[in-house]
Amino acid sequence: MMRFGIRKFISIICAALLISSASILCLTGASTAKKDDYIKYAEFNVTYPALEKAMNIDIATNEEQIHLSWIDILAYLGAKYGGDFKKYKENDMDELTEKLNSGEKLEKLTADMKYYSYYREVYSAVLGGLLGEYTEYSEENGKITTEKKYGLKAYCPIAATFPYSEFDDFGASRSYGYQRLHLGHDMMCAVGTPIICIEDGTVECLGWNQYGGWRIGIRSNDKKRYYYYAHLRQNRPYHADIEEGKEVKAGEVIGYAGRTGYSTTENVNNIETTHLHWGLELVFDESQKESDNEIWINLYSLTMLLAKHKSETVRVPETKEYYSLSQEH
């Protein structure tokens, strides 16, 4: 009887806890559902001509009464084309900007576009940290000067004056370890080419990865973008100032190109051609990081755009380190 009584007592307590839990779940149901309401799939197929034109419109209207956001413009076209920028026509962008400049409201123009808000969120995640106010550094007669600007404040991942070649290789087949798709963009260059931090952020990851070799992972300040730089140089892959947890600035030298990777053994050159692999992962929820549902985007057109803004570097002979003009050395 005692054993039965204890079991019955435990059953009553468990039932009470379940009821209590259900009540709490009901009270917090809205927030619980909302927590899972984030973008789980996205593509970025905006062509270079569309990117460049939208960016130039944004820059040109920055100090005008009506400032036209390149993200708004591209999101409108994304909704119009269903994300397929093979349908892009320059006249479509011209017609939109004419309407906005004449005083028509974007809210009205997009009212019947079911997926406008989706494309705006996706394109904001991709482009959110690339345009804005920044300080441009230049050197003349050994003197470094600065100038405040509004424009493309993100940098090409390859330093100025260093040659590279590229092609659209996103989605190409890779077989090391297992059959998979190439989820980044390769820039062929010489060993030791300075690699540049594309935008401000924090070093989240540093060290060896059997696929990427010596690599760096940098998270943007708004947490939406995770930049991945891989196949860095053997023996001295990183800039001396780089460490995990460090805050880094756009334009800084973070490492050097090489051909490490494709090995479980550290510091091995198993990549045939020297190049920088850089990738961009979009993060709409922290559960997407390090998961089977990561969102990596095609960077071909974006890399072409970033080539318009390259970081000038100087080499310190004593340490053999390269520094951007904005870095102390």
Side-chain angles (χ1 to χ4, degrees), residues 107-205:
E107 293 79 4
K108 182 179 179 180
L109 295 173
T110 59
D112 296 326
M113 288 182 159
K114 184 178 180 180
Y115 295 108
Y116 170 77
S117 60
Y118 165 80
Y119 283 105
R120 195 184 189 289
E121 186 173 356
V122 171
Y123 294 172
S124 293
V126 178
L127 305 172
L130 307 189
L131 205 64
E133 295 182 353
Y134 68 100
T135 301
E136 182 74 7
Y137 292 81
S138 58
E139 185 178 15
E140 187 175 352
N141 298 324
K143 183 179 180 182
I144 297 176
T145 59
T146 61
E147 182 183 0
K148 295 290 185 180
K149 288 186 175 183
Y150 177 90
L152 185 61
K153 63 178 183 177
Y155 285 86
C156 174
I158 299 291
T161 74
F162 287 85
Y164 64 87
S165 62
E166 61 185 335
F167 60 94
D168 189 357
D169 58 348
F170 187 82
S173 178
R174 294 291 186 271
S175 59
Y176 172 78
Y178 62 97
Q179 198 69 34
R180 66 195 191 281
L181 300 179
H182 185 235
L183 299 178
H185 183 70
D186 289 345
M187 304 177 76
M188 314 303 170
C189 55
V191 172
T193 296
I195 304 304
I196 302 299
C197 182
I198 293 170
E199 72 163 298
D200 295 357
T202 302
V203 179
E204 278 194 349
C205 183

Side-chain angles (χ1 to χ4, degrees), residues 219-274:
R219 191 75 167 270
S220 63
N221 288 335
D222 65 3
K223 304 297 184 183
K224 295 293 185 182
R225 290 168 297 287
Y226 176 76
Y227 293 93
Y228 180 74
Y229 308 80
H231 306 313
L232 302 183
R233 183 175 60 185
Q234 189 180 43
N235 298 324
R236 293 182 63 232
Y238 308 122
H239 191 280
D241 295 341
I242 290 296
E243 60 184 26
E244 197 166 313
K246 179 182 176 63
E247 293 184 2
V248 287
K249 295 294 184 181
E252 290 185 2
V253 178
I254 56 175
Y256 302 95
R259 55 187 188 91
T260 59
Y262 282 18
S263 176
T264 55
T265 303
E266 288 191 3
N267 205 32
V268 174
N269 279 334
N270 272 359
I271 301 295
E272 292 184 5
T273 305
T274 301

Side-chain angles (χ1 to χ4, degrees), residues 294-327:
E294 297 173 351
I295 301 174
W296 298 88
I297 63 168
N298 190 329
L299 297 167
Y300 185 57
S301 60
L302 198 57
T303 305
M304 292 173 67
L305 190 76
L306 293 175
K308 298 173 71 69
H309 193 206
K310 295 181 178 180
S311 180
E312 299 284 346
T313 59
V314 293
R315 183 177 182 271
V316 177
E318 293 78 11
T319 62
K320 299 180 181 179
E321 293 279 7
Y322 282 87
Y323 291 82
S324 73
L325 298 183
S326 61
Q327 288 175 285

Side-chain angles (χ1 to χ4, degrees), residues 208-225:
W208 183 263
N209 176 282
Q210 67 167 312
Y211 301 100
W214 294 121
R215 89 305 195 196
I216 303 174
I218 295 177
R219 191 75 167 270
S220 63
N221 288 335
D222 65 3
K223 304 297 184 183
K224 295 293 185 182
R225 290 168 297 287

